[in-house]
């Protein structure tokens, strides 16, 4: 009597079965190879458009943490990647609103420079919306004209937590303006507070806007009077540290 294991062994080594196994294996490998050649679909992007951020201000003062938390919640509702930094979310949402409303023509072809790098909240959100930011600091000397051609950029972003500081903000704006096309936008944040921490007061911001205008940069929007009053009020209570953030969007004439 032949055992089941012996019979199975004879069947498995028979020429007919070996040919069948060979054909099946070749077919499986061919299917896997064909599947590997099929391009994978890109990561899903949002259908975000200008209308979705129509009411998001591109120039504003942040003096209340509740506003920052609301911005982060809104970003999640819009399908943007998560962040734990409420303040960065508030700034990035404003920068993205400027990009979608002022710069984009619907084709996502704008040349966007994010000085903060690929992992910034703004860059991640811009990529999700369909843009491809370039990561180079055009606000450093000699970058424009070497790494980036003058008058070639549609939007430059320098946003929290990589804000400009009081000592360099004028130079930052001038260098950004040198990279921008006519009609291009620079979106920056600066700390709002006493000068001892490299921050600017509301009066300093007004002066900065006037100086930027002389460089051919027009402020988009304006500061809310209530925000300005609230900022000055908080400054009187806490003079030891920064107490807020200013988001400024300028368009090159």
């Amino acid at each position: 009597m032949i055992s089941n294991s012996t019979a199975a062994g004879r069947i498995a080594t028979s020429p007919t079965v070996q040919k069948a196994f060979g054909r099946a294996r070749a077919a499986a490998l061919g299917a896997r190879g064909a599947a590997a050649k099929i391009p994978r679909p890109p990561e899903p992007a949002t259908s975000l458009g200008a209308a979705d951020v129509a009411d998001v201000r591109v120039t504003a003062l942040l003096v209340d943490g509740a506003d920052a938390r609301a911005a982060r919640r809104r970003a999640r509702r819009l399908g943007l990647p998560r962040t734990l930094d409420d303040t960065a979310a508030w700034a990035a949402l404003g920068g993205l609103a400027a990009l979608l409303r002022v710069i984009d023509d619907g084709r996502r072809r704008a040349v966007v420079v994010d000085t903060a790098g690929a992992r910034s909240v703004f860059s991640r959100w811009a990529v999700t919306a369909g843009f491809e930011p370039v990561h180079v600091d055009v606000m450093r000397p000699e970058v424009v004209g070497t790494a980036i051609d003058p008058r070639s950029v549609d939007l430059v972003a320098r946003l929290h937590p990589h804000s400009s500081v009081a000592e360099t903000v004028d130079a930052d704006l001038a260098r950004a303006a040198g990279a921008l096309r006519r009609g291009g936008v620079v979106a920056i944040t600066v700390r709002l507070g006493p000068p001892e921490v490299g921050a600017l007061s509301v009066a300093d911001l007004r002066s900065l806007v006037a100086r930027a205008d002389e460089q051919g940069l027009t402020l988009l929007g304006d500061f809310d009077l209530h925000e300005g009053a609230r900022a000055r009020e908080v400054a009187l209570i806490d003079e030891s540290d920064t107490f807020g953030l200013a988001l400024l969007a300028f368009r090159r004439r």
Side-chain angles (χ1 to χ4, degrees):
M1 181 177 178
I2 300 175
S3 68
N4 290 338
S5 60
T6 303
R10 289 180 179 177
I11 293 171
T13 56
S14 71
T16 301
V17 173
Q18 287 291 329
K19 289 179 180 179
F21 280 153
R23 288 194 298 270
R25 185 171 184 274
L29 290 173
R32 282 198 294 270
K37 294 177 182 178
I38 299 173
R40 293 185 178 182
E43 290 295 321
T46 69
S47 57
L48 199 63
D52 296 299
V53 289
D55 61 333
V56 175
R57 294 169 59 200
V58 299
T59 290
L61 305 182
L62 179 65
V63 293
D64 190 336
D67 293 337
R69 291 189 293 274
R72 184 162 68 95
R73 290 193 297 268
R74 179 169 184 173
R76 287 302 302 146
R77 291 195 299 270
L78 291 174
L80 295 167
R82 294 180 182 275
T83 178
L84 298 178
D85 188 334
D86 296 337
T87 304
W90 177 85
L93 194 61
L96 191 62
L99 179 56
L100 289 169
R101 295 207 317 255
V102 182
I103 298 298
D104 184 43
D105 61 1
R107 295 180 293 175
R108 302 303 199 254
R109 294 184 180 180
V111 178
V112 180
V113 170
D114 183 359
T115 66
R119 296 307 301 164
S120 77
V121 177
F122 172 76
S123 270
R124 289 165 55 211
W125 289 3
V127 168
T128 300
F131 298 92
E132 297 181 4
V134 176
H135 304 106
V136 60
D137 191 353
V138 298
M139 295 175 181
R140 289 172 49 201
E142 300 179 359
V143 171
V144 178
T146 54
I148 293 287
D149 291 335
R151 308 290 186 259
S152 65
V153 177
D154 294 298
L155 184 138
V156 173
R158 168 161 286 180
L159 301 172
H160 175 86
H162 303 279
S163 299
S164 289
V165 296
E167 291 80 5
T168 65
V169 66
D170 284 87
D172 289 345
L173 288 174
R175 290 171 185 143
L180 290 175
R181 293 190 176 108
R182 184 175 182 180
V185 171
V186 53
I188 67 168
T189 52
V190 291
R191 298 171 73 183
L192 191 59
E196 292 78 14
V197 294
L200 299 176
S201 68
V202 175
D204 293 332
L205 289 177
R206 299 286 185 191
S207 179
L208 174 64
V209 169
R211 295 194 302 273
D213 188 72
E214 294 174 356
Q215 299 177 25
L217 295 172
T218 301
L219 186 70
L220 296 174
D222 202 352
F223 308 119
D224 183 272
L225 293 177
H226 173 73
E227 289 175 342
R230 175 62 178 153
R232 286 187 287 269
E233 181 181 302
V234 175
L236 294 174
I237 298 172
D238 183 4
E239 298 179 351
S240 63
D241 199 359
T242 184
F243 59 83
L245 195 69
L247 170 65
L248 309 170
F250 296 92
R251 191 170 194 179
R252 183 179 175 272
R253 296 194 295 275

